[in-house]
Amino acid sequence: MSGTAFDALTQEELDAWHKLRANNPLLDSPYFHPGFAAAVHQAGNPVQVHVGRGPTGEVESLFPVHRDGAVLRPVGWPGADFQGPILAPGTRFDPARLLGGGVSTLEFDHLLELADDFQPWITGSRPSPYVDTTGGLDGYLARASKSGKDNMGQARRRTAKAEREIGPIRFVADSLDEGDLAKVIELKRGQYAATGAKDYFAEDGRRSLMTDLLRTRGTDFAGILSTLYAGDQLLAAHFGIRSGAVLHWWFPVYDPAHAGLAPGWMLLRELVMAAPQLGFARIDLGRGDDEYKRRAKTGETPVAQGMVTRSSARRALRAARESLVTAAKDSPLGPQLRRVVRKLRTIKR
């Protein structure tokens, strides 16, 4: 199965992408929309799409990836929180077909379980939490855990406190302010530096990707920036992507000067309240160990890590690495080992 540059796909292949995705509810995340692959490709990270066809020539699968030498990785790597081929439910997809022609490995770290054929190549799985926002805040509170309800109640009281002590609260659910987007990136880079995480925005192309996504409008696929101000002070903001009824929570930030207010919860509460007007039924929070995700979630989806390779040594090394990461996370010294875990996850494989 050979790869085709994204911008060389035919109209037939793009139409098949939309049709296959529409017929598979598991693919409702914006990461599976061709608009995401198009934006990443346009931002300077070349995307090639492996197109699989059936016996009569019809398109039955598409898998957008990046090629780095002999290694393939899913589109958007390392910033894609859901990964996998575009196909109809029950369709077979042998990932080993992607090997050859100089390609020795396919890596994945947020694989949605779309095809059973990936099972032999999976080395681990972790939960990716989500928030069901059907019915807005009232609907959420009816489904939330006690912790989720308590934190939403605290967010309401802290919002009132911020208004009294700082200034009028202003929430913009879908902002087009590129200056605020620049603040999100600046705050996120500060967070990466403070925690020892690899700086996602160190590459210029990723910053331009955010701007291009913000300028993409509509409900089928778009970037979405949400901001929460008290007076003239930005308390918290979030930049993510949407497709239809799904918002993906991608880059949330808050001003450390207002950390005592837990402004991230304040922002999340505002978004849950606004969800019906925005057309969202679910906010995917993405895989992660953050406590607020555990408290806020109403459900979770497993995503898998692993690699497809004919090298048993590479597979063993990958499995050992995943085991070490899991052991570090489960250790009583977990909080002290987070920097180690982050470094292990960002080692070039």
Side-chain angles (χ1 to χ4, degrees):
M1 186 189 296
S2 59
T4 302
F6 180 85
D7 52 9
L9 290 175
T10 66
Q11 190 60 51
E12 176 223 3
E13 289 164 340
L14 288 170
D15 289 345
W17 191 323
H18 285 287
K19 183 178 179 181
L20 289 169
R21 182 171 178 266
N23 291 333
N24 191 342
L26 294 176
L27 297 171
D28 61 357
S29 167
Y31 287 111
F32 296 116
H33 194 283
F36 179 67
V40 172
H41 186 77
Q42 181 64 31
N45 193 358
V47 176
Q48 60 177 237
V49 182
H50 290 262
V51 181
R53 294 181 178 271
T56 60
E58 77 281 6
V59 176
E60 61 179 18
S61 67
L62 303 102
F63 196 179
V65 297
H66 302 295
R67 180 169 178 174
D68 181 7
V71 179
L72 297 181
R73 299 185 178 98
V75 63
W77 183 286
D81 289 344
F82 287 105
Q83 304 162 357
I86 311 300
L87 37 68
T91 302
R92 297 295 304 273
F93 185 93
D94 179 5
R97 289 183 296 166
L98 302 182
L99 305 182
V103 173
S104 63
T105 306
L106 165 67
E107 294 187 349
F108 52 88
D109 62 356
H110 289 76
L111 183 78
L112 203 59
E113 296 179 12
L114 298 164
D116 290 341
D117 306 79
F118 277 92
Q119 284 300 323
W121 311 104
I122 291 174
T123 57
S125 180
R126 300 190 185 102
S128 181
Y130 63 81
V131 172
D132 184 341
T133 59
T134 306
L137 184 61
D138 288 342
Y140 169 77
L141 293 175
R143 291 181 290 272
S145 65
K146 181 179 185 302
S147 180
K149 294 175 185 176
D150 289 346
N151 277 275
M152 285 297 185
Q154 292 172 14
R156 174 179 53 80
R157 292 188 290 274
R158 285 167 175 160
T159 300
K161 179 181 179 181
E163 186 150 36
R164 289 193 308 270
E165 298 181 356
I166 305 174
I169 293 294
R170 177 167 57 92
F171 171 66
V172 181
D174 190 4
S175 170
L176 294 176
D177 190 326
E178 293 184 15
D180 279 344
L181 177 60
K183 291 178 185 176
V184 169
I185 294 173
E186 178 185 1
L187 285 168
K188 201 67 183 176
R189 298 191 75 182
Q191 179 183 330
Y192 292 143
T195 60
K198 187 173 182 179
D199 185 352
Y200 176 82
F201 293 110
E203 296 183 18
D204 291 341
R206 292 173 184 166
R207 299 197 291 274
S208 64
L209 171 62
M210 299 301 112
T211 303
D212 291 345
L213 288 171
L214 181 64
R215 293 172 180 171
T216 303
R217 297 287 85 203
T219 57
D220 187 51
F221 176 80
I224 182 164
L225 171 65
S226 302
T227 58
L228 181 67
Y229 275 86
D232 62 355
Q233 298 184 41
L234 179 67
L235 301 182
H238 165 258
F239 182 74
I241 47 178
R242 73 165 300 172
S243 181
V246 180
L247 168 66
H248 195 90
W249 184 258
W250 202 8
F251 294 106
V253 296
Y254 64 87
D255 185 340
H258 301 293
L261 290 169
W265 274 100
M266 294 162 59
L267 177 68
L268 182 58
R269 179 175 178 271
E270 295 287 347
L271 267 173
V272 171
M273 286 195 293
Q277 289 71 44
L278 294 169
F280 300 142
R282 189 178 82 238
I283 300 176
D284 283 323
L285 298 177
R287 193 191 79 193
D289 308 315
D290 309 80
E291 186 177 359
Y292 80 87
K293 293 183 180 183
R294 179 179 61 79
R295 293 177 182 272
K297 71 178 182 180
T298 58
E300 57 189 34
T301 302
V303 291
Q305 306 84 48
M307 65 165 50
V308 181
T309 179
R310 295 189 176 97
S311 169
S312 57
R314 285 183 64 83
R315 290 191 67 199
L317 182 62
R318 175 62 181 251
R321 176 180 165 275
E322 290 293 338
S323 296
L324 186 58
V325 169
T326 301
K329 283 161 50 66
D330 293 342
S331 167
L333 299 176
Q336 300 173 36
L337 293 172
R338 286 184 179 178
R339 286 180 180 266
V340 175
V341 169
R342 291 189 181 99
K343 288 178 180 178
L344 285 168
R345 284 180 177 166
T346 55
I347 291 173
K348 189 170 181 62
R349 295 172 290 276

